[in-house]
């Protein structure tokens, strides 16, 4: 689609240049691929059910085991399901990553190893002793990944399969299929209100602290949105919109990564120590965690209710408004900071172009299943629950297990940018305020709402 | 942590478009100006992708900072109204 300078030099007409289709983004962006894969899996499950089959044949269901004999039994009962799931996911992710210019020869062995590690994690999570002592599989996977990623050098072929964003977004779209749209509509306004209150306060705390420390306006705004809206995704979206310097975006990403990983453990500890129920716990994580993948890891430790309220808070309350933040800050950047009168202006198209595409997939999946469920009898609903929703939930668990492992395996502290004390302090001030406000709103003020959801 | 490590990739696009809606390079006198800007940028930096999208001509690179590009064009007498420098950051491989 592109040309080298030597080919392009004798430019006399635009027709000589290679054309780039306006639709390239639909197959060239990871965000869109999460939509295609997530919706394909949901539609595949629905089509199989409509044809009197079930996607269950692709989903292993490991029973709780306590000794070698029971482990052997549950594994032998799930051999074909495990193999079929592996092949299905391998094909889908290989197609996607090949369009994202990842070498197939590297991705296939890398994904195979990731799948095997995930199988081991899922076997561990169904171990009776692990559940008896409350050893959370997501945290074990994360810790295992962190140790391996920081102690060993990860080979390039394995590295090519470690795509945290791809796996977590596919998982969130699959989660959309298991949530009735009526629930999203019911929780949406509260999630939006709570998230907006905290995001605004956190943003201004970080922004003004950074300005007080003498940091550049754009750097302060990028730090502020990274710490208040949606982590790295916000940092790169805002950094692009307001043209933040590259080194400042780099520093913001490093801070988000370190704080996000620390907060997985910190929030999990605080929730247990304070005895917070699953619903409010998920809302608190959704309010105070910086990144989707990190939040999913923390929320998964507290079960499905926590995962549901986390997703409603993070995806519906925070993530989908990144475009609005981009537009407002780009407008301020051009008109107030630059005081520019000529040249391109900030346009409202920012809101559309920066809308996270996986959120579209999340809504479509939810609406599709809600319509199907509303148009069938109670008896058929029970069949759909068993043959469509339960297996989709099982595949979602696998996508999230890939996420837990890849967060750890890709968070290599030696590869992060050096950060001075000023951004650390500004970001930290916002993070502390965020956690305290997150607790007050999720547990004290709206606790009953999130518990009864 | 290492200060030589970067956690993002900066993709810069210099977009030349015709305000009248005609093909960017085929409408005089804008075409001459666009050719001059393209020539200037190619002389200063080798690693460009050059392509057309609709009625726009786009020069794209990940190896030259956007600040240098804007400064260079302005210094050579091209005001910001003649072009649009767009910046897109991407997370570096594997970032959370």
């Amino acid at each position: 689609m592109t040309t080298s300078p030597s080919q392009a030099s004798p430019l006399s007409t635009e027709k000589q240049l290679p054309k780039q289709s306006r639709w390239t983004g639909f197959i060239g962006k990871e965000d869109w691929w999460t939509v295609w894969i997530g919706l394909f899996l949901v539609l595949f499950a629905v089509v199989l059910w409509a044809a009197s089959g079930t996607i269950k044949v692709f989903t292993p269901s490991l029973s709780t085991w306590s000794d070698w004999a029971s482990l052997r039994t549950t594994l032998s009962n799930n051999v074909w399901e495990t193999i079929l799931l592996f092949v299905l996911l391998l094909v889908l992710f290989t197609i996607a990553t090949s369009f994202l210019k990842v070498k197939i020869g590297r991705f296939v062995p890398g994904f195979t190893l990731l799948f095997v590690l995930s199988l081991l994690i899922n076997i561990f999570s169904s171990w009776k002793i692990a559940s008896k002592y409350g050893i959370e599989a997501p945290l074990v996977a994360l810790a295992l990944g962190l140790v391996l990623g920081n102690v060993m050098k990860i080979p390039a072929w394995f590295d090519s399969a470690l795509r945290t964003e791809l796996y977590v977004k596919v998982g969130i779209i699959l989660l959309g299929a298991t949530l009735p749209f009526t629930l999203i509509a019911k929780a949406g306004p509260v999630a939006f209100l709570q998230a907006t209150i905290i995001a605004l306060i956190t943003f201004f705390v970080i922004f003004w602290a950074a300005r007080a420390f003498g940091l550049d306006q754009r750097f302060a705004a990028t730090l502020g949105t990274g710490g208040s809206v949606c982590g790295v995704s916000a940092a790169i979206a805002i950094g692009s919109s307001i043209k933040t310097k590259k080194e400042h975006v780099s520093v913001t990403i490093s801070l988000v990564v370190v704080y996000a990983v620390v907060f997985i453990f910190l929030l999990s500890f605080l929730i247990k120590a304070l005895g917070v129920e699953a619903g409010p716990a998920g809302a608190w994580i959704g309010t105070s965690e910086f990144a989707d993948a990190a939040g999913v890891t923390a929320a998964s430790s507290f079960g499905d209710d926590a995962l549901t309220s986390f997703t409603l808070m993070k995806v519906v309350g925070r993530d989908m408004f990144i475009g609005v933040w981009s537009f407002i800050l780009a407008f301020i950047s051009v008109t107030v900071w630059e005081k520019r009168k000529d040249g391109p202006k900030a346009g409202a198209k920012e809101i559309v172009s920066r809308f996270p595409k996986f959120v579209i997939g999340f809504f479509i999946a939810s609406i599709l299943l809600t319509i199907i469920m509303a148009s069938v009898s109670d008896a058929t609903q029970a069949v759909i629950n068993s043959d469509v929703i339960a297996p989709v939930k099982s595949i979602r668990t696998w996508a999230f297990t890939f996420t837990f492992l890849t967060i750890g395996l890709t968070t290599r502290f030696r590869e992060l940018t050096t950060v001075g004390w000023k951004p650390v302090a500004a970001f930290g001030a916002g993070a502390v305020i965020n956690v305290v406000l997150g607790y007050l709103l999720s547990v004290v003020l709206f606790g009953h709402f999130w518990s009864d959801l | 942590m290492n200060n030589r490590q970067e956690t993002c990739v900066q993709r810069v696009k210099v977009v030349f478009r015709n305000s009248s809606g005609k093909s960017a390079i085929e409408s005089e006198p804008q075409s001459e100006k666009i050719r001059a800007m393209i020539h200037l940028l190619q002389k200063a930096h080798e690693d460009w992708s050059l392509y057309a999208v609709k009625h726009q001509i786009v020069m794209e690179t990940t190896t030259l900072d956007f600040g240098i590009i804007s400064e260079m064009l302005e210094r050579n007498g091209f005001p910001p109204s003649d072009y649009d420098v767009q910046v897109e950051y991407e997370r570096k491989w594997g970032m959370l």
Side-chain angles (χ1 to χ4, degrees), chain A residues 350-366:
Chain A
E350 286 268 340
I351 297 172
V352 178
S353 68
R354 298 206 182 279
F355 189 89
K357 311 305 178 279
F358 78 98
V359 178
I360 297 171
F362 171 80
F363 282 135
I364 292 175
S366 172

Side-chain angles (χ1 to χ4, degrees), chain A residues 279-355:
Chain A
W284 188 10
I285 296 167
T287 308
S288 299
E289 246 303 352
F290 302 98
D292 288 341
V296 162
T297 309
S300 295
S301 301
F302 299 97
D304 272 5
D305 287 346
L307 202 50
T308 299
S309 54
F310 160 79
T311 307
L312 291 169
M313 176 59 68
K314 185 75 170 66
V315 175
V316 180
R318 293 170 67 189
D319 290 354
M320 60 187 268
F321 295 99
I322 182 61
V324 177
W325 280 88
S326 296
F327 167 64
I328 293 170
L329 287 169
F331 183 79
I332 292 171
S333 171
V334 170
T335 56
V336 181
W337 296 340
E338 291 179 37
K339 293 187 175 60
R340 182 149 44 90
K341 290 193 174 57
D342 58 351
K345 300 283 186 288
K349 68 175 184 185
E350 286 268 340
I351 297 172
V352 178
S353 68
R354 298 206 182 279
F355 189 89

